[in-house]
Amino acid sequence: VGTWLLAWPCFWSIAIAAPHGQLPDFYMLGLFGTGALLLRGAGCTINDYWDRDFDKQVERTRSRPIASGQISPNQALTFLVAQLLAGLGILVQLNTYSQILGASSLAFVGTYPLMKRITYMPQAYLGLTINWGAMLGYSAINGACDWPVVLPLYVGCISWTMV
């Protein structure tokens, strides 16, 4: 489910960016689908890393690999680096504007798990994070964001996450 939650905003924006009367770019749909899979994994890895001490205390999460001791925190960070490098392999195939926009999303990805500690609405921050593709897919096709087009999509996707 998490991969789809990341992928759909990307797919929607790629479709919106397609020239009138044409199908969306299937290569970009494939890149973004693969990127969603990789970044969802990276998000889970960083979440489990940040929450490892809490996860040990919660029945539902104590069997997660880091919390249970199946892998060490250093092994998790190594795996995270591998996931991010694979994601970088996708990102470098995009235009410069999209590379910068995509890289800037990592600040949200890396800090989302911490929001559970400082706000009662971490879902709002999650919405900002997982729907970044609503902007990124469009810019990957057109070289930049057309804000009157992508901002309503981004806000709508954030709202969808909140529901």
Side-chain angles (χ1 to χ4, degrees), residues 2-105:
T3 301
W4 287 114
L5 293 174
L6 279 169
W8 278 115
C10 302
F11 295 165
W12 292 329
S13 66
I14 290 168
I16 289 170
H20 181 71
Q22 293 185 20
L23 292 173
D25 184 321
F26 289 112
Y27 179 75
M28 283 294 180
L29 291 172
L31 276 181
F32 276 79
T34 304
L37 183 68
L38 290 168
L39 265 292
R40 191 267 180 163
C44 290
T45 302
I46 194 67
N47 182 70
D48 289 358
Y49 177 81
W50 283 121
D51 286 351
R52 65 191 181 275
D53 293 330
F54 295 112
D55 287 348
K56 292 176 187 176
Q57 302 170 33
V58 178
E59 181 66 33
R60 181 181 62 83
T61 58
R62 73 173 49 136
S63 64
R64 289 181 176 172
I66 304 170
S68 67
Q70 294 172 17
I71 63 170
S72 71
N74 284 340
Q75 289 172 315
L77 290 177
T78 300
F79 182 58
L80 176 64
V81 168
Q83 290 171 304
L84 293 175
L85 287 173
L88 180 63
I90 292 173
L91 191 63
V92 298
Q93 296 180 57
L94 306 179
N95 59 59
T96 303
Y97 183 97
S98 298
Q99 290 173 0
I100 294 167
L101 184 63
S104 65
S105 73

Side-chain angles (χ1 to χ4, degrees), residues 82-138:
Q83 290 171 304
L84 293 175
L85 287 173
L88 180 63
I90 292 173
L91 191 63
V92 298
Q93 296 180 57
L94 306 179
N95 59 59
T96 303
Y97 183 97
S98 298
Q99 290 173 0
I100 294 167
L101 184 63
S104 65
S105 73
L106 292 179
F108 287 103
V109 172
T111 57
Y112 161 68
L114 303 175
M115 292 301 120
K116 294 177 275 187
R117 294 168 173 82
I118 63 171
T119 180
Y120 291 108
M121 293 188 56
Q123 217 45 26
Y125 199 82
L126 178 65
L128 294 170
T129 306
I130 68 170
N131 294 300
W132 203 259
M135 300 176 289
L136 188 58
Y138 190 95

